[in-house]
Each structure stands twice: as structure tokens, then as C-alpha cells.
Amino acid sequence: MKSRPWAYVLVRLVLIIGAAVGAGLIFGYPLAWVLGSLIAYLGWHLYHLYLLERWLRIGGRQPPRDAPGIWGTVYAELYHLRSRHRERKKRLSRLVKEFRKSTKALPDAIVVLNADHEIAWVNRSAGDLLGLTKGDRGQPVDNLIRDPVFVDRLRSGGLSRPVRIQSPAQRDVSLMLQEFPYGKRQRLLIGKNVTAEERLEKVRRSFVANASHELRSPLTVVSGYLESLIEDDELPEGWRDPVLEMGKQTGRMHAIIEDLLTLSRLETAEAEAEREPVDVAGMLALVRKDARSSSGSPCSMELQLDCSSGLLGAESEIYSVISNLVSNALKYTPPEGTVAMRWWCDDLGAHFSVTDTGVGIPAEAIPRLTERFYRVDKGRERSSGGTGLGLAIVKHALQRHGAGLEIESELGAGSRFVCHFPKDRLALECASGDAQDGPDSDQETPDADNVLPFRNMS
Ligand code: ADP
């Protein structure tokens, strides 16, 4: 019966009514007997309801009283429910305590934000690194962390990429902030102290820059003497080839040093490039002209200009991007091949591509191309005069313009390098040449002091 309490209630009710009817038949007034017994039964239930309400009011903590019939089942179920609930609560609060203890021990700042970027919870490190305390709960986080780059990224929803800021709480402390969405439109803002890494990176950069700088002068002297020797008619014939080779190698060393210095300049510059108007069409025509004259490459070059806008950026860096990509394309394309440049704009921004029908790049090498000194075929490329730094320079220069590099290639069929510039880098006023694959343009050379020389492909 215990497993079917309602059957028990019904049987009991039927028995009571049956007994009342029986008594009514024996003593008369059966209806009054039935009514009376039903009222007594109802009163009994009301009494137990009263006891139950009292038991619940005092918290229902004591074991349930020994109640008869369905009330026993109700007490037992409620008691079980409460015990389970209490257990779960205990487990949860243990878990929360553990979580709090572990986040306290974390060296990273952790801030829980709601959908409106208001602070819901902070850990202890958030106080040390970001100056946020428990009392800031409910405040919009951009009222308290006022770094313009951070505020900008937060409002535009771009904090899924880490952003570097100065700690608002401690001088000379750099933080990397990144947001992770979770739950129902909640976000976890994590701040990592990157001061030590930054210092190490600075030391490395200045070492490379200083070493390159120091090497430049002695190398200039050595190459000067070598040039004189090469031009000297009295140089013994047996010496000519070794001296020529030495000249070639010092030239390569020079190119590496210049590229290292360019890279360290790009790395130490502000994260965002300046916004000077750059005439891209004119620059492309100039690059094509320079490439034709300096490379001596017989492969054909095409130029397609589908956009009259220029860019807002650093002229020398954009020139460096274009010339590096074009010189690579020429270097790795056979004389009967084609190198095509294209400049176009669309809703996403502006794009520049260099497509060649050259040797191509194996798929597994593509993700590593922008690493310093990475070469697909070490022997061949060293002999072709490359420094292995060209694409690293391209990547850094593009990053400073908020632009990305896309590489597609098929081994033996050719490669396509596409630079995607964001819309806010478009200079609409800068209308230039309709040099649609026309003859070499005579447009003005970009400021000679700022522009890197076209990369030599010899
Ligand atoms: P490098 O000065 O050696 O050309 P880069 O950084 O410019 O150095 O290029 C890195 C490597 O990427 C090159 O050594 C070459 O293997 C490969 N590469 C770059 N551009 C092309 C291309 N257009 N076709 C084939 N391989 C290329």
C-alpha cells in the first residue's frame, strides 16, 4: 500500500462511507451518518494539514513525525526533498568557497561582467592589477578602466583578441586583457601581468637592433674594400672569383642587417601606424617600373587597378609590403610565368593581391612563412639572395595598419598573397591613375627618404 498511497486513501474513504451507510441502515438516518463520517474524515485531514504546516514552519529539520496514511508519505517525501536540497546547498557552497580560494590564489585579475559590461564579481588580483574592488559591483567596467584602446575594444565587442594596456593601479605594469563569453551573455575578463615578458622582449629587440647597428659600419668598410678590389685591374686572376663571392656574401649580410633593422623599427614603433594619405595606385605603378628595371626578370607583369582610393597609413611601410610581395613573386616565378598585381575595394575595405604562376609553396609551409628566417627550400633560397625576413616585415607592417595577410598556393602552379586593409584605412580623396595594365607610369616617387629601396632580386 505504501507505494500506492492514493489507492490506500480511496480504499479508506470507501470503507468509511460503507461503514457509515451500514450504521445508517442499522440505526436509521444513513445520509446523516455518511455526512457525519465525511466531516470527521475531513477534520482528521485538516488536523494533519495543520501539523504539517507547523512542521514546515519550524524548518522541517527534525525527522518527520510518525503520521498515518498518505500523511506519512507526504512527510517522508518532503523530508527527503529537504535533505537533498540541503546537501546540494552544502556542496555548492563548498564549491564556491573552493573556487573563491583558488581565484584568490590566481595571479591573474578575473572580473565577471554582465551583458551590459557591469562588474558582477572580482578576485583579489583584480584589485592589485586593475584597482577594482568588491565595492565596484554594478559599475560599468569602462568607467573604472579608462584606457582608450580598452574602452574602444570593449564597446566594439573586439575584446576576444587580447589588448595590452598599462595597469591603472600600478605604474610600469603592463597587462594583457582578454574577454571570454560564458553562460547567458556573461563575460569573464582576464588580465594577465605581462611586464616580465615585455621587458625580456624589449631586451631581445634592443639586442638585435644594437647588434645589427654595430655590424653595419664594419661591414660597410669590408664591402668598400671588396668593391675596390673587384674594380682593381691588377687583381690576380685566381683571386677574382673568391673576391666576387665575398662581395656577394657581404651584400647578403648587408641586406639581412637592413631587414633586421627594419623589423626592429616596426616592432618598437607604436602599435598603430600613422594615417598619412598614401597613393597606392601610383605606388603600384612605381613598384612595377622598379621591378622591371632592377630585377631584369623577363616574366610578364600585370597591374589591375579596380579602386581609385588610396590608404591612410605609413607610406614607407606600405611600399615595403608591396615591394616585398612583388619581389618574392618575381624571384619564385620562371621567366615564362606571369606576376599580376591587383588593387580593389569592397564593403570590407581595400585589398591588394600579388598572384604568380611560380614554383608555389607546400601547404604545410604556408602557416610558417611569416616567421623570421623561415625558408621553404633553404639551399635554393639562400642562393637566390633572399634574407628570409621579407614576409616577417610584411606581417608586422600590415599589423600596424590593422590589416591581414592571406596566402594561397599550389605547389608547381603558383601563389597568391592578398593584403586585406580595414575600411577605416581607406583614403577616399586619394584618387589616382587608371593605370589599368598600361605603360609604366611616370607618377611621382614616394618620399625618397622614407621609402625602402626595392628589394634586390639578384
Ligand atoms: P626571402 O627573403 O627568403 O624570400 P621571405 O620572408 O620573403 O624571405 O619569404 C619566406 C619564404 O617564403 C621564401 O624563402 C620562400 O620559400 C617562400 N615564398 C615567399 N613568396 C613566395 C612566392 N611568391 N612563391 C614561392 N615561395 C615564396
Side-chain angles (χ1 to χ4, degrees):
M1 251 334 162
K2 216 163 182 195
S3 58
R4 283 177 286 153
W6 282 107
Y8 179 71
V9 171
L10 284 176
V11 168
R12 192 179 248 205
L13 190 63
V14 169
L15 283 178
I16 286 171
I17 293 171
V21 169
L25 289 177
I26 296 168
F27 302 110
Y29 305 108
L31 216 67
W33 276 95
V34 170
L35 203 67
S37 56
L38 282 179
I39 288 171
Y41 188 56
L42 187 68
W44 180 79
H45 274 302
L46 279 176
Y47 170 66
H48 280 289
L49 198 61
Y50 159 74
L51 291 180
L52 173 70
E53 190 270 337
R54 241 181 39 177
W55 181 71
L56 286 175
R57 198 146 22 100
I58 57 166
R61 268 189 202 110
Q62 301 92 332
R65 51 203 333 281
D66 221 2
I70 193 160
W71 290 104
T73 316
V74 169
Y75 274 112
E77 288 297 329
L78 277 174
Y79 186 66
H80 258 97
L81 218 66
R82 289 219 152 191
S83 311
R84 273 212 307 271
H85 179 65
R86 257 199 311 275
E87 262 313 299
R88 200 175 314 140
K89 235 165 92 175
K90 262 191 213 157
R91 251 201 335 265
L92 274 177
S93 76
R94 257 202 314 271
L95 216 71
V96 169
K97 264 188 205 151
E98 285 298 316
F99 172 73
R100 290 219 164 130
K101 259 198 246 165
S102 56
T103 51
K104 252 186 198 172
L106 264 182
D108 297 343
I110 299 181
V111 184
V112 175
L113 301 175
N114 66 16
D116 300 321
H117 296 128
E118 287 163 355
I119 297 170
W121 181 83
V122 295
N123 72 342
R124 192 163 32 190
S125 299
D128 301 338
L129 297 174
L130 295 166
L132 301 176
T133 61
K134 281 180 192 159
D136 296 324
R137 252 181 233 163
Q139 295 251 37
V141 71
D142 43 347
N143 275 2
L144 302 164
I145 306 174
R146 291 177 159 275
D147 184 285
V149 184
F150 169 77
V151 173
D152 206 41
R153 285 275 204 92
L154 184 82
R155 291 182 185 160
S156 62
L159 262 184
S160 52
R161 277 181 298 128
V163 59
R164 192 184 292 255
I165 67 163
Q166 281 312 111
S167 161
Q170 293 180 54
R171 278 186 64 214
D172 302 329
V173 169
S174 291
L175 299 177
M176 200 66 111
L177 286 181
Q178 192 172 8
E179 196 181 66
F180 300 91
Y182 77 97
K184 276 191 181 165
R185 302 186 62 219
Q186 275 161 303
R187 297 134 205 267
L188 205 62
L189 183 69
I190 297 187
K192 197 173 160 53
N193 185 345
V194 289
T195 318
E197 285 98 317
E198 208 170 58
R199 259 184 219 139
L200 214 69
E201 182 67 9
K202 242 185 211 158
V203 170
R204 183 193 64 79
R205 262 189 238 144
S206 71
F207 170 76
V208 173
N210 290 339
S212 312
H213 203 75
E214 292 298 321
L215 281 171
R216 191 149 68 166
S217 317
L219 204 63
T220 311
V221 175
V222 172
S223 46
Y225 278 119
L226 283 170
E227 260 170 46
S228 314
L229 275 175
I230 291 164
E231 281 161 18
D232 189 349
D233 295 335
E234 287 170 25
L235 185 74
E237 220 20 66
W239 282 40
R240 189 155 295 277
D241 281 350
V243 170
L244 274 172
E245 185 55 29
M246 278 193 270
K248 211 170 137 192
Q249 292 306 325
T250 44
R252 260 199 75 218
M253 280 163 75
H254 228 97
I256 292 175
I257 285 171
E258 289 307 323
D259 277 358
L260 279 173
L261 286 170
T262 306
L263 254 181
S264 76
R265 261 199 305 274
L266 286 172
E267 283 177 336
T268 46
E270 290 285 310
E272 280 234 2
E274 53 268 36
R275 290 176 180 266
E276 297 292 321
V278 179
D279 174 7
V280 177
M283 197 177 266
L284 288 176
L286 178 78
V287 165
R288 183 171 64 157
K289 194 170 151 189
D290 281 0
R292 276 182 175 165
S293 57
S294 68
S295 75
S297 170
C299 74
S300 86
M301 280 191 83
E302 292 168 6
L303 171 60
Q304 187 180 344
L305 298 173
D306 293 329
C307 175
S308 58
S309 309
L311 280 175
L312 292 175
E315 190 174 52
S316 60
E317 289 174 31
I318 291 171
Y319 185 83
S320 173
V321 167
I322 296 173
S323 75
N324 267 302
L325 293 179
V326 172
S327 72
N328 273 351
L330 290 170
K331 201 158 48 176
Y332 301 111
T333 304
E336 62 281 8
T338 309
V339 171
M341 293 186 272
R342 187 180 168 217
W343 170 241
W344 77 101
C345 318
D346 58 22
D347 289 346
L348 299 172
H351 317 269
F352 165 67
S353 72
V354 182
T355 311
D356 65 59
T357 56
V359 294
I361 303 156
E364 67 277 8
I366 292 178
R368 301 197 54 196
L369 285 186
T370 54
E371 286 174 21
R372 282 148 213 237
F373 297 113
Y374 180 79
R375 293 174 172 105
V376 178
D377 179 347
K378 307 232 163 12
R380 189 192 68 204
E381 276 124 25
R382 257 193 212 113
S383 64
S384 75
T387 62
L389 292 166
L391 290 179
I393 292 175
V394 168
K395 186 179 103 176
H396 271 84
L398 287 178
Q399 262 172 5
R400 279 181 24 89
H401 289 81
L405 179 68
E406 189 189 334
I407 307 171
E408 292 166 8
S409 189
E410 199 184 318
L411 211 53
S415 313
R416 183 169 181 252
F417 289 75
V418 194
C419 308
H420 300 288
F421 291 91
K423 237 176 168 174
D424 67 314
R425 286 278 177 185
L426 265 174
L428 295 172
E429 256 107 85
C430 194
S432 171
D434 4 271
Q436 192 99 349
D437 205 20
D440 288 347
S441 156
D442 281 334
Q443 317 227 14
E444 230 173 80
T445 313
D447 184 355
D449 288 340
N450 285 330
V451 169
L452 299 164
F454 188 79
R455 280 167 76 78
N456 213 339
M457 284 148 290
S458 58

